[in-house]
Amino acid sequence: MLKKLALAAIAAGALAAVRKRSGGKAEADLWHEATQGPGSVSTPTTR
């Protein structure tokens, strides 16, 4: 019983890590798409 519980916890942790990593990549891709090209939005510049 304890082995199954530990295995489930490891699987859930691995799934959460993969989702977090792929979610960050998707956000970065959207940001890149929004700030590049002729239809891009303006971005603040540092002075």
Side-chain angles (χ1 to χ4, degrees):
M1 177 70 178
L2 193 55
K3 265 187 176 179
K4 288 182 180 180
L5 186 60
L7 185 59
I10 291 170
L15 181 62
V18 168
R19 280 187 170 180
K20 184 176 181 181
R21 188 173 67 191
S22 64
K25 184 179 183 329
E27 186 176 327
D29 288 345
L30 286 173
W31 178 257
H32 184 268
E33 184 180 328
T35 57
Q36 304 299 316
S40 65
V41 296
S42 63
T43 56
T45 56
T46 57
R47 293 179 186 214

